Amino acid sequence: MLKYTTGDCGSRKTQSMIEVIKRTDIPYLVVHSEIQLMKQTAIALGDVCTLISSETHSNVEEAVNEFLKRPSHRVLVISERAFLRISDLSLLNNRKIILDDVVNFHCFKVINTEKKHEVHKQLFTNFTDLDKQYCTAVPITRFNDDLLSEIRRRFEFIDLYDEFRMNSNFFSTKTQDGHVVYRDDCNQLSIMAWVNIQKYSDAGLDMTFMANKFTESLLYRSKPDLFTEVPMTLRQRVVPVSERLKVIYFLDKKRFTSTFRMENPNALSTIAQYIEQNVTGQYYYTSNSSTKSDMNKILVTGEYISPNSRGMNAYQSYTTAVWLASMKPSPVEAVMCREQFGITGQDLVQAREFENLYQFINRSNLRDYDSDSEIVVYVVDREQAESLGTANIHHIDLGLEDDSTEPMKPGRPEVFSTDDKKLRKAFSTLLSRHKGDVSTEKFSKWCTKRNLTEQQVEMLRGMMK
């Protein structure tokens, strides 16, 4: 069994780990998700530890393998990327492995390219159809062609993963002038890739994952039977998070998604301008990479930090945090995850957006467990506000919504516009035609053909229950 310890942000999980390592003579491998955390741990452990990263070595993979064969220190600290590149798991047999806030063992990429032959014949091999829509393949990792190397950089992520699921129609062919050629009606390759977590269990490795709400992570949800909990004595707050928060939001009826941003290009700037004009004192903020430049121009008195801010300690004196990001999955990713792992689109939102939001606000004075200071958090929509678990939420109407939007019910994550009534009627017709028995394959194909949003997919799935 793989082990896990769950504990709130700032509850001293990492510090407790460091104290345990110092008290023993056991070889350890510590894996972090951020370079800043790697450095903090290495400094705290001192002479018994060495750190290998892209800042210290030109070839991290080679350096890690060399260390594991001929260790120079009792403890090694590396990144999750370096850990996932370790192919010979026997090198880890004599070490206790601790993965601190490392829970992202799957990724989803959409790549637009017309170089189908190179992808089909030179980047992957051993294609196998999973069904009529999806296929799997094995990546080719060694080659010398310079042109192919350039293409390969766009697919660099596949080196980290074991399993792949992609849309078969990208590789479909036709006969033209007596030759078999690739069809040009689909030049978009959607790939879901994931680590076979079972391999670590099969290798008998001593692995412990430490994270906030680990059982809500996609890693745990994908293979819950592999994990067993290991309790750890951690700090307790004087005042619960829910009682310290005041959350302000701006969209009461609509969800903040990429679709909303495209249809309302000025909405986010309007929200940012309100915040810049009304927030006094220090605050830190974040946004999606696509809107970062615009937000930086407006939120000039705030400090920008990444949406993925696990472990940061530099903002503990701040009592105001601004979250202007959305991390909703695409409809295709939602369907792929449900097909492969039984993970719903809302599971993805919880594990990705809401957990990152919670981690983000915990860079503030919430890290001081003895404090009772109020923390003011600005988010975009009501769903984000409610995800933080406090009753102290407040709506500010900046005129960003109209009355045609279907009201959001309290606690319900899905929000649909009135246009979806036509979609529901069309799907009802499909259900009636098949007497309510619509297969998963037929459902996915029906949704993909219509290019539905993730909330529309979830809405229609609810109609099948």
PDB file of all heavy atoms in Angstrom, residues 147-168:
ATOM      1  N   LEU A 147      15.226  17.811 -37.043  1.00  0.00           N
ATOM      2  CA  LEU A 147      13.897  18.340 -37.330  1.00  0.00           C
ATOM      3  C   LEU A 147      12.875  17.704 -36.397  1.00  0.00           C
ATOM      4  O   LEU A 147      12.017  18.373 -35.836  1.00  0.00           O
ATOM      5  CB  LEU A 147      13.508  18.065 -38.789  1.00  0.00           C
ATOM      6  CG  LEU A 147      12.088  18.489 -39.206  1.00  0.00           C
ATOM      7  CD1 LEU A 147      11.909  19.999 -39.018  1.00  0.00           C
ATOM      8  CD2 LEU A 147      11.815  18.110 -40.660  1.00  0.00           C
ATOM      9  N   LEU A 148      13.015  16.396 -36.199  1.00  0.00           N
ATOM     10  CA  LEU A 148      12.098  15.696 -35.320  1.00  0.00           C
ATOM     11  C   LEU A 148      12.278  16.159 -33.872  1.00  0.00           C
ATOM     12  O   LEU A 148      11.316  16.253 -33.113  1.00  0.00           O
ATOM     13  CB  LEU A 148      12.310  14.181 -35.416  1.00  0.00           C
ATOM     14  CG  LEU A 148      11.259  13.297 -34.751  1.00  0.00           C
ATOM     15  CD1 LEU A 148       9.888  13.551 -35.345  1.00  0.00           C
ATOM     16  CD2 LEU A 148      11.627  11.835 -34.914  1.00  0.00           C
ATOM     17  N   SER A 149      13.500  16.476 -33.511  1.00  0.00           N
ATOM     18  CA  SER A 149      13.754  16.965 -32.157  1.00  0.00           C
ATOM     19  C   SER A 149      12.990  18.255 -31.893  1.00  0.00           C
ATOM     20  O   SER A 149      12.498  18.488 -30.787  1.00  0.00           O
ATOM     21  CB  SER A 149      15.254  17.208 -31.959  1.00  0.00           C
ATOM     22  OG  SER A 149      15.971  16.001 -32.052  1.00  0.00           O
ATOM     23  N   GLU A 150      12.901  19.111 -32.910  1.00  0.00           N
ATOM     24  CA  GLU A 150      12.154  20.358 -32.771  1.00  0.00           C
ATOM     25  C   GLU A 150      10.681  20.075 -32.512  1.00  0.00           C
ATOM     26  O   GLU A 150      10.055  20.701 -31.655  1.00  0.00           O
ATOM     27  CB  GLU A 150      12.323  21.205 -34.042  1.00  0.00           C
ATOM     28  CG  GLU A 150      11.578  22.534 -34.023  1.00  0.00           C
ATOM     29  CD  GLU A 150      12.102  23.465 -32.960  1.00  0.00           C
ATOM     30  OE1 GLU A 150      13.294  23.399 -32.638  1.00  0.00           O
ATOM     31  OE2 GLU A 150      11.296  24.261 -32.425  1.00  0.00           O
ATOM     32  N   ILE A 151      10.112  19.123 -33.243  1.00  0.00           N
ATOM     33  CA  ILE A 151       8.718  18.740 -33.029  1.00  0.00           C
ATOM     34  C   ILE A 151       8.563  18.101 -31.655  1.00  0.00           C
ATOM     35  O   ILE A 151       7.591  18.337 -30.942  1.00  0.00           O
ATOM     36  CB  ILE A 151       8.251  17.754 -34.124  1.00  0.00           C
ATOM     37  CG1 ILE A 151       8.366  18.406 -35.497  1.00  0.00           C
ATOM     38  CG2 ILE A 151       6.826  17.283 -33.873  1.00  0.00           C
ATOM     39  CD1 ILE A 151       8.163  17.437 -36.639  1.00  0.00           C
ATOM     40  N   ARG A 152       9.545  17.309 -31.287  1.00  0.00           N
ATOM     41  CA  ARG A 152       9.497  16.560 -30.040  1.00  0.00           C
ATOM     42  C   ARG A 152       9.403  17.471 -28.822  1.00  0.00           C
ATOM     43  O   ARG A 152       8.833  17.095 -27.796  1.00  0.00           O
ATOM     44  CB  ARG A 152      10.744  15.674 -29.951  1.00  0.00           C
ATOM     45  CG  ARG A 152      10.770  14.715 -28.779  1.00  0.00           C
ATOM     46  CD  ARG A 152       9.670  13.663 -28.927  1.00  0.00           C
ATOM     47  NE  ARG A 152       9.910  12.524 -28.091  1.00  0.00           N
ATOM     48  CZ  ARG A 152       9.739  12.487 -26.775  1.00  0.00           C
ATOM     49  NH1 ARG A 152       9.320  13.552 -26.150  1.00  0.00           N
ATOM     50  NH2 ARG A 152       9.980  11.393 -26.097  1.00  0.00           N
ATOM     51  N   ARG A 153       9.952  18.691 -28.947  1.00  0.00           N
ATOM     52  CA  ARG A 153       9.906  19.616 -27.829  1.00  0.00           C
ATOM     53  C   ARG A 153       8.470  19.963 -27.451  1.00  0.00           C
ATOM     54  O   ARG A 153       8.176  20.241 -26.283  1.00  0.00           O
ATOM     55  CB  ARG A 153      10.709  20.881 -28.142  1.00  0.00           C
ATOM     56  CG  ARG A 153      12.192  20.738 -27.824  1.00  0.00           C
ATOM     57  CD  ARG A 153      12.900  22.070 -27.872  1.00  0.00           C
ATOM     58  NE  ARG A 153      13.288  22.421 -29.224  1.00  0.00           N
ATOM     59  CZ  ARG A 153      14.411  22.031 -29.809  1.00  0.00           C
ATOM     60  NH1 ARG A 153      15.261  21.272 -29.144  1.00  0.00           N
ATOM     61  NH2 ARG A 153      14.704  22.398 -31.030  1.00  0.00           N
ATOM     62  N   ARG A 154       7.584  19.964 -28.437  1.00  0.00           N
ATOM     63  CA  ARG A 154       6.174  20.241 -28.145  1.00  0.00           C
ATOM     64  C   ARG A 154       5.525  19.071 -27.412  1.00  0.00           C
ATOM     65  O   ARG A 154       4.485  19.212 -26.785  1.00  0.00           O
ATOM     66  CB  ARG A 154       5.406  20.531 -29.438  1.00  0.00           C
ATOM     67  CG  ARG A 154       5.914  21.738 -30.202  1.00  0.00           C
ATOM     68  CD  ARG A 154       5.086  22.005 -31.423  1.00  0.00           C
ATOM     69  NE  ARG A 154       3.714  22.354 -31.081  1.00  0.00           N
ATOM     70  CZ  ARG A 154       2.738  22.509 -31.981  1.00  0.00           C
ATOM     71  NH1 ARG A 154       2.999  22.289 -33.259  1.00  0.00           N
ATOM     72  NH2 ARG A 154       1.539  22.833 -31.608  1.00  0.00           N
ATOM     73  N   PHE A 155       6.156  17.889 -27.526  1.00  0.00           N
ATOM     74  CA  PHE A 155       5.636  16.684 -26.892  1.00  0.00           C
ATOM     75  C   PHE A 155       6.543  16.239 -25.738  1.00  0.00           C
ATOM     76  O   PHE A 155       6.507  15.081 -25.337  1.00  0.00           O
ATOM     77  CB  PHE A 155       5.526  15.551 -27.916  1.00  0.00           C
ATOM     78  CG  PHE A 155       4.431  15.750 -28.932  1.00  0.00           C
ATOM     79  CD1 PHE A 155       4.630  16.561 -30.031  1.00  0.00           C
ATOM     80  CD2 PHE A 155       3.209  15.120 -28.778  1.00  0.00           C
ATOM     81  CE1 PHE A 155       3.631  16.747 -30.974  1.00  0.00           C
ATOM     82  CE2 PHE A 155       2.198  15.301 -29.706  1.00  0.00           C
ATOM     83  CZ  PHE A 155       2.401  16.113 -30.812  1.00  0.00           C
ATOM     84  N   GLU A 156       7.337  17.165 -25.217  1.00  0.00           N
ATOM     85  CA  GLU A 156       8.309  16.816 -24.190  1.00  0.00           C
ATOM     86  C   GLU A 156       7.650  16.200 -22.960  1.00  0.00           C
ATOM     87  O   GLU A 156       8.235  15.346 -22.283  1.00  0.00           O
ATOM     88  CB  GLU A 156       9.102  18.068 -23.793  1.00  0.00           C
ATOM     89  CG  GLU A 156      10.232  17.803 -22.827  1.00  0.00           C
ATOM     90  CD  GLU A 156      10.989  19.076 -22.484  1.00  0.00           C
ATOM     91  OE1 GLU A 156      10.475  20.171 -22.765  1.00  0.00           O
ATOM     92  OE2 GLU A 156      12.091  18.962 -21.928  1.00  0.00           O
ATOM     93  N   PHE A 157       6.425  16.599 -22.691  1.00  0.00           N
ATOM     94  CA  PHE A 157       5.735  16.126 -21.492  1.00  0.00           C
ATOM     95  C   PHE A 157       5.535  14.621 -21.476  1.00  0.00           C
ATOM     96  O   PHE A 157       5.395  14.016 -20.401  1.00  0.00           O
ATOM     97  CB  PHE A 157       4.369  16.818 -21.364  1.00  0.00           C
ATOM     98  CG  PHE A 157       3.376  16.410 -22.420  1.00  0.00           C
ATOM     99  CD1 PHE A 157       2.453  15.413 -22.163  1.00  0.00           C
ATOM    100  CD2 PHE A 157       3.364  17.024 -23.666  1.00  0.00           C
ATOM    101  CE1 PHE A 157       1.525  15.031 -23.126  1.00  0.00           C
ATOM    102  CE2 PHE A 157       2.460  16.654 -24.632  1.00  0.00           C
ATOM    103  CZ  PHE A 157       1.536  15.655 -24.362  1.00  0.00           C
ATOM    104  N   ILE A 158       5.525  13.965 -22.641  1.00  0.00           N
ATOM    105  CA  ILE A 158       5.207  12.531 -22.659  1.00  0.00           C
ATOM    106  C   ILE A 158       6.288  11.690 -21.986  1.00  0.00           C
ATOM    107  O   ILE A 158       6.032  10.549 -21.593  1.00  0.00           O
ATOM    108  CB  ILE A 158       4.941  12.021 -24.097  1.00  0.00           C
ATOM    109  CG1 ILE A 158       6.191  12.082 -24.962  1.00  0.00           C
ATOM    110  CG2 ILE A 158       3.801  12.783 -24.723  1.00  0.00           C
ATOM    111  CD1 ILE A 158       5.977  11.547 -26.372  1.00  0.00           C
ATOM    112  N   ASP A 159       7.498  12.247 -21.824  1.00  0.00           N
ATOM    113  CA  ASP A 159       8.559  11.513 -21.141  1.00  0.00           C
ATOM    114  C   ASP A 159       8.208  11.231 -19.679  1.00  0.00           C
ATOM    115  O   ASP A 159       8.785  10.331 -19.061  1.00  0.00           O
ATOM    116  CB  ASP A 159       9.869  12.303 -21.171  1.00  0.00           C
ATOM    117  CG  ASP A 159      10.511  12.284 -22.560  1.00  0.00           C
ATOM    118  OD1 ASP A 159      10.082  11.475 -23.387  1.00  0.00           O
ATOM    119  OD2 ASP A 159      11.425  13.089 -22.790  1.00  0.00           O
ATOM    120  N   LEU A 160       7.287  12.006 -19.112  1.00  0.00           N
ATOM    121  CA  LEU A 160       6.966  11.899 -17.696  1.00  0.00           C
ATOM    122  C   LEU A 160       5.879  10.871 -17.407  1.00  0.00           C
ATOM    123  O   LEU A 160       5.666  10.510 -16.239  1.00  0.00           O
ATOM    124  CB  LEU A 160       6.512  13.255 -17.153  1.00  0.00           C
ATOM    125  CG  LEU A 160       7.469  14.435 -17.356  1.00  0.00           C
ATOM    126  CD1 LEU A 160       6.836  15.705 -16.801  1.00  0.00           C
ATOM    127  CD2 LEU A 160       8.802  14.168 -16.693  1.00  0.00           C
ATOM    128  N   TYR A 161       5.199  10.391 -18.442  1.00  0.00           N
ATOM    129  CA  TYR A 161       3.994   9.597 -18.216  1.00  0.00           C
ATOM    130  C   TYR A 161       4.091   8.208 -18.836  1.00  0.00           C
ATOM    131  O   TYR A 161       4.911   7.947 -19.708  1.00  0.00           O
ATOM    132  CB  TYR A 161       2.776  10.355 -18.755  1.00  0.00           C
ATOM    133  CG  TYR A 161       2.599  11.696 -18.077  1.00  0.00           C
ATOM    134  CD1 TYR A 161       3.100  12.866 -18.644  1.00  0.00           C
ATOM    135  CD2 TYR A 161       1.969  11.783 -16.840  1.00  0.00           C
ATOM    136  CE1 TYR A 161       2.968  14.087 -18.002  1.00  0.00           C
ATOM    137  CE2 TYR A 161       1.831  13.000 -16.194  1.00  0.00           C
ATOM    138  CZ  TYR A 161       2.334  14.149 -16.774  1.00  0.00           C
ATOM    139  OH  TYR A 161       2.205  15.348 -16.132  1.00  0.00           O
ATOM    140  N   ASP A 162       3.209   7.331 -18.350  1.00  0.00           N
ATOM    141  CA  ASP A 162       3.233   5.924 -18.772  1.00  0.00           C
ATOM    142  C   ASP A 162       2.101   5.571 -19.728  1.00  0.00           C
ATOM    143  O   ASP A 162       2.250   4.703 -20.582  1.00  0.00           O
ATOM    144  CB  ASP A 162       3.128   5.011 -17.542  1.00  0.00           C
ATOM    145  CG  ASP A 162       4.217   5.287 -16.526  1.00  0.00           C
ATOM    146  OD1 ASP A 162       5.393   5.311 -16.924  1.00  0.00           O
ATOM    147  OD2 ASP A 162       3.895   5.479 -15.342  1.00  0.00           O
ATOM    148  N   GLU A 163       0.957   6.199 -19.546  1.00  0.00           N
ATOM    149  CA  GLU A 163      -0.236   5.836 -20.316  1.00  0.00           C
ATOM    150  C   GLU A 163      -0.754   7.066 -21.060  1.00  0.00           C
ATOM    151  O   GLU A 163      -0.655   8.195 -20.564  1.00  0.00           O
ATOM    152  CB  GLU A 163      -1.335   5.290 -19.391  1.00  0.00           C
ATOM    153  CG  GLU A 163      -0.874   4.184 -18.450  1.00  0.00           C
ATOM    154  CD  GLU A 163      -0.637   2.871 -19.161  1.00  0.00           C
ATOM    155  OE1 GLU A 163      -1.093   2.729 -20.316  1.00  0.00           O
ATOM    156  OE2 GLU A 163      -0.015   1.974 -18.562  1.00  0.00           O
ATOM    157  N   PHE A 164      -1.348   6.815 -22.234  1.00  0.00           N
ATOM    158  CA  PHE A 164      -1.811   7.918 -23.072  1.00  0.00           C
ATOM    159  C   PHE A 164      -3.163   7.572 -23.706  1.00  0.00           C
ATOM    160  O   PHE A 164      -3.402   6.433 -24.089  1.00  0.00           O
ATOM    161  CB  PHE A 164      -0.796   8.229 -24.179  1.00  0.00           C
ATOM    162  CG  PHE A 164       0.574   8.549 -23.650  1.00  0.00           C
ATOM    163  CD1 PHE A 164       1.492   7.540 -23.403  1.00  0.00           C
ATOM    164  CD2 PHE A 164       0.932   9.852 -23.367  1.00  0.00           C
ATOM    165  CE1 PHE A 164       2.747   7.817 -22.889  1.00  0.00           C
ATOM    166  CE2 PHE A 164       2.182  10.141 -22.855  1.00  0.00           C
ATOM    167  CZ  PHE A 164       3.093   9.124 -22.617  1.00  0.00           C
ATOM    168  N   ARG A 165      -4.001   8.576 -23.802  1.00  0.00           N
ATOM    169  CA  ARG A 165      -5.297   8.427 -24.469  1.00  0.00           C
ATOM    170  C   ARG A 165      -5.450   9.619 -25.400  1.00  0.00           C
ATOM    171  O   ARG A 165      -5.303  10.762 -24.981  1.00  0.00           O
ATOM    172  CB  ARG A 165      -6.414   8.415 -23.431  1.00  0.00           C
ATOM    173  CG  ARG A 165      -7.799   8.046 -23.956  1.00  0.00           C
ATOM    174  CD  ARG A 165      -8.821   8.156 -22.824  1.00  0.00           C
ATOM    175  NE  ARG A 165     -10.119   7.671 -23.238  1.00  0.00           N
ATOM    176  CZ  ARG A 165     -10.619   6.476 -22.945  1.00  0.00           C
ATOM    177  NH1 ARG A 165      -9.893   5.649 -22.213  1.00  0.00           N
ATOM    178  NH2 ARG A 165     -11.805   6.114 -23.351  1.00  0.00           N
ATOM    179  N   MET A 166      -5.710   9.371 -26.679  1.00  0.00           N
ATOM    180  CA  MET A 166      -5.817  10.461 -27.647  1.00  0.00           C
ATOM    181  C   MET A 166      -6.915  10.186 -28.666  1.00  0.00           C
ATOM    182  O   MET A 166      -7.354   9.044 -28.824  1.00  0.00           O
ATOM    183  CB  MET A 166      -4.471  10.707 -28.328  1.00  0.00           C
ATOM    184  CG  MET A 166      -3.838   9.495 -28.955  1.00  0.00           C
ATOM    185  SD  MET A 166      -2.070   9.773 -29.338  1.00  0.00           S
ATOM    186  CE  MET A 166      -1.293   8.897 -27.997  1.00  0.00           C
ATOM    187  N   ASN A 167      -7.351  11.238 -29.349  1.00  0.00           N
ATOM    188  CA  ASN A 167      -8.448  11.102 -30.311  1.00  0.00           C
ATOM    189  C   ASN A 167      -7.964  10.430 -31.597  1.00  0.00           C
ATOM    190  O   ASN A 167      -7.017  10.881 -32.245  1.00  0.00           O
ATOM    191  CB  ASN A 167      -9.081  12.462 -30.618  1.00  0.00           C
ATOM    192  CG  ASN A 167      -8.073  13.510 -31.054  1.00  0.00           C
ATOM    193  OD1 ASN A 167      -7.063  13.714 -30.407  1.00  0.00           O
ATOM    194  ND2 ASN A 167      -8.365  14.178 -32.170  1.00  0.00           N
ATOM    195  N   SER A 168      -8.638   9.336 -31.970  1.00  0.00           N
ATOM    196  CA  SER A 168      -8.233   8.543 -33.129  1.00  0.00           C
ATOM    197  C   SER A 168      -8.387   9.284 -34.448  1.00  0.00           C
ATOM    198  O   SER A 168      -7.618   9.047 -35.393  1.00  0.00           O
ATOM    199  CB  SER A 168      -9.068   7.250 -33.187  1.00  0.00           C
ATOM    200  OG  SER A 168      -8.960   6.523 -31.996  1.00  0.00           O
TER     201      SER A 168
END
